[in-house]
Amino acid sequence: MSERAPLPPFPRVACALLALGPLAQAQQPPAPDAGETLRVTTTNVLLPTLVESAGGQVVYGLTSDGFTVTDNGVPQTIHVDDDLDTTPVSLVICLERGRSSEIQFAKFARLAPLVEQFLGTGNGEVALVEFDSKTVYREAFTRDTSLLDQDLQELRPGDGGAAILDAVGTSIDLLEHRPPERRRILLLLSESRDHGSKDLTAAELVERIGTSNTLVLSLTWSPAKAEMLDQLAHGGGNLVELLPMAVQAMRSNVARSLAVMSGGEYMAFTRQRGFEDRILEMASHARNRYLLSFRPTDPTPGLHTLSVKLNVDANARVVARTSYWAVVGAGTAQHNGPAQR
């Protein structure tokens, strides 16, 4: 399969609701043509919320009476939708193929059947974005996971870059242009640290996340541990040489930060079984989140802190967003299609 051209950078989109910890719902029109102005109007704040018992089981059946949500300390009137299995999903897999990621290609090659767990039985769709120092929109949104499987079987090693910020920005832009009734999920498969992003800064990516209701799920590997296991499996390997690489990776974790900002989840893997188990766990959690929403009683622009607490079962684990930033603005949006086969 011939190499497809990398995407040009997306222009910056000013947002009407900027989430620092959470994502906030904005009423969005269909994808505009290049050059059109995208007007974004704040309506509701969305809080996809995962509730697990102390034993790790998903807690079902809660209603609005089961939650207390505060915005800047003020209780809000909330709506709870717990029937997300019937909502169509748009999923972008954002996959690193730069640096040492070739070691993971055998695991990625078995991903396509697992994706069905995200899409469900409804009108779900998946797209593929690959990146090294540049971003490539590899596969357009499709329900046919055999096309995804073909792409994953034909992965090619990239260069020495891992431009996570740029690739995630592109992926979120793609999801923002899907129909507004869809759930938007970004599955990031990468190492934890950005190497070489040029189009987006971390602050700009926070804004990009805030213009959509995308849930970011980050699944990462440790380059040092992966190389160590690979070298030991093939004989040789110098643990002393790998130590500086592991220390450097510990200094920053972009993948974790992206998951936390969106109210998503962050997990790590080493071996094939762990990779598959974590994909399935993320898919289950994504399908079984409550969707809490509220119309802010005080929409004053600026930082708003959020708190989501249970009125029952205080020992349960709650995963939800913790803040958002409301501002007023408009900007220009542009949509780029996938590279052609």
Side-chain angles (χ1 to χ4, degrees):
M1 181 175 65
S2 60
E3 181 72 10
R4 304 180 195 179
L7 283 174
F10 280 78
R12 193 163 177 263
V13 180
C15 65
L17 196 57
L18 171 59
L20 293 181
L23 298 178
Q25 172 68 18
Q27 185 177 3
Q28 298 192 46
D33 294 330
E36 277 189 35
T37 298
L38 177 63
R39 300 290 178 180
V40 186
T41 303
T42 302
T43 55
N44 293 319
V45 176
L46 295 188
L47 291 88
T49 301
L50 175 67
V51 181
E52 286 187 313
S53 69
Q57 293 80 28
V58 175
V59 176
Y60 300 100
L62 296 176
T63 65
S64 58
D65 294 335
F67 297 91
T68 295
V69 175
T70 61
D71 181 351
N72 284 344
V74 179
Q76 302 293 305
T77 300
I78 64 171
H79 173 75
V80 177
D81 181 2
D82 63 350
D83 190 19
L84 295 186
D85 274 340
T86 61
T87 305
V89 170
S90 291
L91 170 70
V92 169
I93 297 173
C94 185
L95 181 152
E96 179 186 334
R97 61 183 181 91
R99 289 172 53 82
S100 62
S101 60
E102 185 179 3
I103 297 172
Q104 311 299 336
F105 283 7
K107 300 181 183 69
F108 297 160
R110 301 174 64 178
L111 178 61
L114 304 177
V115 168
E116 296 286 351
Q117 300 302 310
F118 286 96
L119 303 185
T121 58
N123 190 27
E125 59 182 10
V126 59
L128 177 64
V129 169
E130 300 172 4
F131 68 95
D132 45 21
S133 64
K134 298 180 180 179
T135 302
V136 176
Y137 185 9
R138 177 63 60 187
E139 191 65 63
F141 284 98
T142 179
R143 185 64 178 85
D144 186 357
T145 56
S146 67
L147 299 176
L148 172 66
D149 186 61
Q150 177 184 342
D151 290 321
L152 295 174
Q153 302 301 324
E154 298 175 353
L155 279 175
R156 299 177 182 176
D159 58 27
I164 298 175
L165 299 180
D166 292 346
V168 169
T170 294
S171 300
I172 290 175
D173 282 331
L174 294 172
L175 285 165
E176 284 181 348
H177 288 102
R178 306 316 294 163
E181 69 273 9
R182 287 181 168 273
R183 280 189 293 152
R184 298 171 173 87
I185 300 175
L186 170 57
L187 177 61
L188 174 63
L189 304 176
S190 71
E191 56 189 276
S192 60
R193 187 175 181 181
D194 182 273
H195 295 269
S197 285
K198 299 177 181 178
D199 299 326
L200 282 179
T201 66
E204 288 171 332
L205 186 55
V206 169
E207 179 173 345
R208 190 67 58 82
I209 290 176
T211 63
S212 76
N213 62 350
T214 299
L215 185 71
V216 180
L217 307 174
S218 298
L219 187 56
T220 69
W221 66 86
S222 163
K225 185 179 291 186
E227 290 190 11
M228 179 185 70
L229 292 175
D230 185 66
Q231 291 179 16
L232 292 178
H234 293 86
N238 188 329
L239 298 181
V240 175
E241 292 177 357
L242 294 176
L243 181 59
M245 187 177 185
V247 171
Q248 183 182 29
M250 287 288 289
R251 292 175 179 168
S252 178
N253 194 329
V254 174
R256 182 194 294 271
S257 298
L258 290 167
V260 170
M261 283 190 296
S262 74
E265 291 186 278
Y266 169 86
M267 299 182 187
F269 70 92
T270 300
R271 301 183 184 277
Q272 178 72 45
R273 179 63 181 269
F275 174 77
E276 295 181 5
D277 287 347
R278 283 159 178 76
I279 289 287
L280 293 175
E281 182 178 357
M282 284 183 162
S284 175
H285 287 175
R287 291 197 317 270
N288 292 296
R289 287 173 180 254
Y290 295 89
L291 184 59
L292 281 57
S293 61
F294 68 92
R295 189 181 300 273
T297 55
D298 178 12
T300 303
L303 179 65
H304 291 240
T305 59
L306 292 172
S307 172
V308 180
K309 296 181 179 180
L310 293 181
N311 299 330
V312 293
D313 193 2
N315 293 322
R317 182 175 78 109
V318 178
V319 180
R321 301 175 181 112
T322 58
S323 64
Y324 71 94
W325 192 290
V327 297
V328 178
T332 300
Q334 177 178 325
H335 175 66
N336 296 66
Q340 299 299 312
R341 290 183 183 274

